[in-house]
Structures are given as structure tokens and as C-alpha cells.
Amino acid sequence: MEMTLREICAAVDGRLLVPALPERRVNRLSIDSRVIGAADFFVPLPGTRTDGHEFIAQAAQNGAIGCFSALGKTAAYPQGMTVIGVPSPLLALQQLAAVYRQKFVLPVVAVTGSVGKTTTKELIAAVLSVTMKTLKTEGNLNNHLGVPLMLSRLDSSHQAAVLEMGMSGFGEIDLLARLARPSVAVITNIGESHLEMVGSRQGIAKAKCELLPHVPLTGTVVANADERLLVPYLEQVGCQVITFGFSEAAIVRCVATRKDQGQRIVQIEQVGFEPVTLLSPLPGRHNICNLMAALAVGRLLGLTDEEFAAGLARVSLSGMRLEKVQTPAGINVLNDAYNASPTSMVAAMDVLMEQAGGAAKIAVLGDMLELGWLEEEG
């Protein structure tokens, strides 16, 4: 992180409670005292069972040189640690991320959607990294805590950033977009996740589209043309819109697919570009949509089709996302247990049918939560 302790204090309008070596530069922000490294900065957050302020000493022992502390907390702060008093460490973390983001002029791609946002983020980051040093969301750092932490990892060597944005209710995407200030917004689709919080697919579309007003007029929105719930929101966007999908109305459109020795070959057309034939690194029709979204972003940011294809070859997904495993008995298992919604389950079943062919097929399904009235249906 390219800020000193004094600059952090100024960015959040904090109070130097213990001004030990305030000119030291911070390495990284962390909300977990157990993974603090040398010259890191600790953000103590209240939890359901414990309060992060109880672990300030542990953070210092592990190398932290500074921390936030909620004003009014009484604590014996470790010697040599700079302590910055703020009304709320969480709000200070978000405020700091917003200020820090403004230090950098680079394309920031924000990816959201009910299904496929992690895969699409990985695809976009993989292809951009062919020509640009690219920061991408790590693990599940896609919420009100994770996005600020990822923004704090920007440095002057980065040429692009790809940030995943998740939500469970209204207002969350709006917050994340205000912090990240994306130049490109990608919406993969609208599914049934988090119905308990937003009530309907229409509510999900509204929550996801909180991202769109934050894209500047010089920016671009990349959205699924096959998702009708997005149409009224896209019609209100003032910037460029690039749609992708199988619909004839899509600007980036898959016109043909075929299998060749177990691999899927896709032909994609885009208005203003020559048709391109690509080897999809991932199974399933839904992943062709994710690939088209990545192609739209790659071309937008100047990649050639050859560079894009080279980036696809680098793609590797995290575990439990259509992960192929073979048991000692020779049974092929598709492990897609990272998360689930009705939409993602249908996609997984399509992949199962495609991969298994005429062989016997068994699906092992668990509960899907946060679906509200839909949880007991079927």
C-alpha cells in the first residue's frame, strides 16, 4: 500500500492516539490479526463473539505497525504501534479505500451477477494479465470488507484491476461501486440468489444494477443480452453498452459450438470485429456466456484475439467450482459445491448431462439457503 501512517490518519480524518513513527509506510491492510505480516496495518472489527480490539496486541506481535481504534475504547496499546482513533474502524476502512482508489488512473472492471461472477472475474483477469499487470479479487473478498481490502492492494505497478462485487441485499453494490469507481461494469445474469433479502428476481435485478450509475459516461457496461430484466436499466445508461449472449440482438454473440475430442469449440461474432473461434477452457453453455463477457472486456481494453486466446489458456478456477475429481474406483465426480442457487444448479445439471453422456449419472444435492419463499418449492 502506497501510504504512510500519517497519510492514513489524514485520509480518514482520524486522531493520532499514539503517534509512534507516523511516517512509516504501510505494507498491507488486514482485518485478521492471525495473518498480519511485517509493516501491516490492523483494522479491528466487532464480531458476533469477539471484538477485534482484543487482538491489537497480537497484531503488533505479528508485525503490525499501526491500527485503527474506535474512539472511546480504553486499551493499553502496544509500545511502538501507531494508533489512529476513529468513530468506526469499519467506516474508516471503507473511507480509506475510497481515498486510496483515487490515487490511481487505470481501468477498473467491476463484475457482479447472480451466477458466474467469480468465473467471469477469473476469465477477465487471466486475459488482461497477458498484456497488463492486473489486480484481481482474491478468494471471497467481494463484500463490504473484501472490496476495500482489495483496493488497498493497488500499487503504481498495476495497469488494471478486476473486482468481484457480491451482495445479499439492497444498497451493498451501491456502496462497493462508490468505493471502486469502476470504468467497466459487467453483469453476468440475474438468478434466484438472496431472494430472502430482496424478494424476487426483479429485486435482484434492481440490486445488481446499483452498479450502473457509478460507471462514467466515458465507461462501458457489459451485460447479458439474454436477461430481459436488465433491459429497463440498460436503457437508462448514458455510457456505451455492450451486450453478450445467444440472442440475435446481442452485440457479442455465440453463433456456433461444436465438440472436438472432448473440447468445446465456440464461434463468436461481435459487431465491428472479425468472427473468432475459441477453445472454451470451461464446460457448460453458461460458461460460454462468461467467456463472451470476458472477450468483450478484453477487446474493449485493447487485447488482440491472439492475446485473448493465450489468456484463456491460463485460466484456473478455485476449488469446488465444476472441479473434476476421479475416485479410486474410477468414478468421475464434478464438485460444484462452493455455492448454489436454482440457476447455478440448472447449469451444473446441464454440465453433468453433457460430460457423462450415456453413462449413469448421480446428483448429490444439499440445501440452498437465503431463497425466502422459494426454499421449499419443488
Side-chain angles (χ1 to χ4, degrees):
M1 186 178 192
E2 298 181 351
M3 291 185 85
T4 66
L5 291 163
R6 189 181 298 280
E7 288 171 333
I8 289 174
C9 185
V12 300
D13 299 318
R15 183 188 306 169
L16 278 173
L17 301 180
V18 183
L21 302 174
E23 307 307 326
R24 289 194 64 182
R25 178 168 156 174
V26 167
N27 178 35
R28 182 176 287 201
L29 304 184
S30 177
I31 60 174
D32 188 342
S33 62
R34 297 168 298 181
V35 296
I36 288 285
D40 283 355
F41 186 92
F42 180 52
V43 181
L45 299 174
T48 54
R49 298 181 179 177
T50 58
D51 187 330
H53 290 80
E54 298 173 12
F55 302 99
I56 289 176
Q58 180 186 21
Q61 290 174 359
N62 291 341
I65 59 172
C67 70
F68 289 138
S69 180
L71 292 171
K73 287 281 183 180
T74 56
Y77 299 115
Q79 189 173 9
M81 173 184 265
T82 295
V83 180
I84 300 172
V86 292
S88 163
L90 170 59
L91 295 180
L93 169 64
Q94 295 168 346
Q95 183 179 354
L96 175 59
V99 171
Y100 188 66
R101 159 67 181 95
Q102 296 180 52
K103 292 169 63 73
F104 302 93
V105 179
L106 79 173
V108 173
V109 183
V111 183
T112 193
S114 297
V115 178
K117 56 183 175 291
T118 299
T119 299
T120 303
K121 175 260 299 183
E122 292 291 341
L123 287 167
I124 294 172
V127 298
L128 294 186
S129 66
V130 172
T131 61
M132 295 176 270
K133 183 178 178 183
T134 303
L135 176 76
K136 70 172 183 178
T137 296
E138 298 174 5
N140 61 352
L141 296 179
N142 65 1
N143 62 8
H144 65 297
L145 299 176
V147 170
L149 291 174
M150 289 309 309
L151 287 170
S152 75
R153 297 179 189 180
L154 281 169
D155 63 47
S156 55
S157 69
H158 286 116
Q159 298 165 293
V162 186
L163 301 176
E164 180 180 332
M165 295 186 177
M167 69 90 190
S168 58
F170 295 117
E172 295 179 37
I173 296 291
D174 177 65
L175 167 65
L176 303 182
R178 281 193 286 110
L179 301 183
R181 301 175 64 196
S183 52
V184 181
V186 179
I187 302 181
T188 60
N189 53 42
I190 304 299
E192 297 87 3
S193 304
H194 310 301
L195 284 175
E196 182 179 7
M197 312 300 178
V198 297
S200 64
R201 289 186 71 244
Q202 288 79 5
I204 293 169
K206 180 180 179 180
K208 296 295 184 183
C209 287
E210 291 173 358
L211 176 60
L212 303 185
H214 296 278
V215 181
L217 293 178
T218 54
T220 302
V221 172
V222 178
N224 192 326
D226 302 330
E227 182 51 76
R228 301 305 302 169
L229 290 175
L230 292 177
V231 172
Y233 297 97
L234 297 178
E235 289 176 343
Q236 299 176 36
V237 170
C239 66
Q240 175 181 218
V241 176
I242 300 175
T243 56
F244 62 88
F246 293 88
S247 165
E248 290 189 3
I251 294 173
V252 182
R253 183 165 71 98
C254 178
V255 295
T257 68
R258 60 185 172 87
K259 296 289 286 293
D260 184 8
Q261 297 181 347
Q263 296 181 310
R264 183 181 289 274
I265 311 297
V266 298
Q267 184 177 349
I268 298 173
E269 295 181 353
Q270 180 175 353
V271 177
F273 291 84
E274 291 296 317
V276 62
T277 300
L278 297 165
L279 173 64
S280 176
L282 304 169
R285 178 184 172 93
H286 63 296
N287 277 319
I288 297 176
C289 283
N290 299 334
L291 186 153
M292 286 189 282
L295 178 63
V297 175
R299 284 173 162 175
L300 179 68
L301 297 185
L303 267 68
T304 66
D305 291 346
E306 292 74 20
E307 290 166 340
F308 184 84
L312 286 184
R314 300 182 178 186
V315 173
S316 61
L317 298 184
S318 56
M320 299 191 295
R321 297 180 187 273
L322 291 177
E323 182 180 10
K324 294 182 179 180
V325 181
Q326 189 173 68
T327 71
I331 299 172
N332 293 314
V333 177
L334 277 174
N335 182 357
D336 198 45
Y338 181 83
N339 209 338
S341 70
T343 302
S344 66
M345 192 61 65
V346 169
M349 292 299 101
D350 287 343
V351 173
L352 174 64
M353 299 297 291
E354 174 187 301
Q355 298 282 309
K361 309 166 191 67
I362 300 172
V364 181
L365 309 180
D367 291 336
M368 288 181 278
L369 305 180
E370 296 186 357
L371 296 180
W373 57 270
L374 194 59
E375 281 188 15
E376 297 183 8
E377 185 173 305

